[in-house]
Amino acid sequence: MKQHRLAAAVALVSLVLAGCDSQTSVELKTPAQKASYGIGLNMGKSLAQEGMDDLDSKAVAQGIEDAVGKKEQKLKDEELVEAFAALQKRAEERMAKMSEESAAAGKKFLEENAKKAGVVTTASGLQYEVVKKADGAQPKPTDVVTVHYTGKLTNGTVFDSSVERGSPIDLPVSGVIPGWVEGLQLMHVGEKYKLYIPSELAYGAQSPSPAIPANSVLVFDLELLGIKDPAKEDAAK
């Protein structure tokens, strides 16, 4: 997290906090009031995820009041830079610790999961089990397939699901994470697999969203519904 990003986030939250203290309710009637609340809510969640859950709302409000009232600031710029740097360092240390813990937990999960009946481990480290067998065609790397899926963390938390949305998706076999690229080519149309994807075959140390921590093992319930026929697609145009 860059310093200017942290500063901007704090500034946005400050705008919301400045108008009231934690014991005073605010009106949420007009579009501007509702939008203001939304900004505070979203930024507050973001800051909490980055470990910034101990900000002093009164100090934030005081900073806004001093700036708006053109009063002399109570801290020198050098002190503020140092404070932001400390928060940034703390956030980075927290994320590094979480990443290490996630990697260790993922390794342990896969080691235990590999011992379960029906679970197959490939040379790459991908684990899968066949939930429903079928005799349909198998996709190639150049194919576009139609699938239904539910993605979970190893604790069962769902982070994405075409099933819940009620709409399958089309995607290129070679255009997804490595664990899917390999898993899809093992499947036959009509089959359902459960994929257990090591972090290095998913997103690794780069978290794609707050819902998926860095170094996470991902679990997918995956159904291969069909393989697109380019000739028919072109004829339909």
Side-chain angles (χ1 to χ4, degrees):
M1 183 176 61
K2 302 297 185 182
Q3 181 173 317
H4 69 271
R5 177 181 161 197
L6 176 61
V10 173
L12 280 171
V13 175
S14 300
L15 291 174
V16 179
L17 293 176
C20 61
D21 61 36
S22 60
Q23 303 301 318
T24 304
S25 61
V26 296
E27 289 189 350
L28 301 174
K29 297 179 179 179
T30 69
Q33 289 171 332
K34 293 177 180 179
S36 297
Y37 177 76
I39 291 172
L41 190 64
N42 290 335
M43 296 308 302
K45 288 179 179 179
S46 177
L47 289 169
Q49 288 168 349
E50 300 222 25
M52 305 301 163
D53 52 4
D54 60 350
L55 292 177
D56 188 326
S57 61
K58 292 182 179 179
V60 171
Q62 184 66 61
I64 291 290
E65 182 181 339
D66 287 351
V68 173
K70 298 182 180 180
K71 299 178 182 178
E72 182 178 355
Q73 62 187 56
K74 293 177 172 56
L75 294 173
K76 296 179 180 178
D77 289 342
E78 293 81 2
E79 293 178 282
L80 295 175
V81 169
E82 183 179 349
F84 279 119
L87 287 184
Q88 179 180 340
K89 181 180 179 181
R90 188 184 67 179
E92 291 172 347
E93 290 174 346
R94 176 176 177 270
M95 294 304 294
K97 181 180 179 181
M98 290 177 62
S99 181
E100 291 176 3
E101 292 174 347
S102 181
K107 181 180 179 181
K108 182 178 180 180
F109 172 86
L110 291 171
E111 288 175 349
E112 294 299 319
N113 194 62
K115 302 174 185 177
K116 295 181 179 178
V119 174
V120 178
T121 303
T122 70
S124 70
L126 173 70
Q127 295 180 0
Y128 71 91
E129 56 182 306
V130 181
V131 178
K132 175 187 174 184
K133 288 189 66 64
D135 297 319
Q138 286 182 287
K140 303 182 296 296
T142 54
D143 286 331
V144 172
V145 296
T146 302
V147 301
H148 246 327
Y149 69 91
T150 295
K152 304 176 184 178
L153 303 179
T154 55
N155 63 6
T157 300
V158 175
F159 58 81
D160 190 17
S161 176
S162 67
V163 176
E164 291 183 359
R165 291 193 296 272
S167 178
I169 66 168
D170 296 338
L171 51 84
V173 173
S174 60
V176 288
I177 58 176
W180 268 50
V181 173
E182 180 180 355
L184 283 169
Q185 293 179 78
L186 295 172
M187 300 178 72
H188 296 78
V189 172
E191 288 189 327
K192 293 182 179 180
Y193 272 36
K194 185 179 285 289
L195 301 180
Y196 305 91
I197 304 180
S199 63
E200 59 268 23
L201 298 179
Y203 298 105
Q206 300 301 316
S207 169
S209 78
I212 302 177
N215 291 325
S216 290
V217 170
L218 304 183
V219 180
F220 284 95
D221 294 307
L222 180 62
E223 181 178 9
L224 180 56
L225 299 174
I227 300 173
K228 291 289 186 178
D229 186 333
K232 290 183 179 179
E233 293 290 313
D234 292 339
K237 293 180 180 179

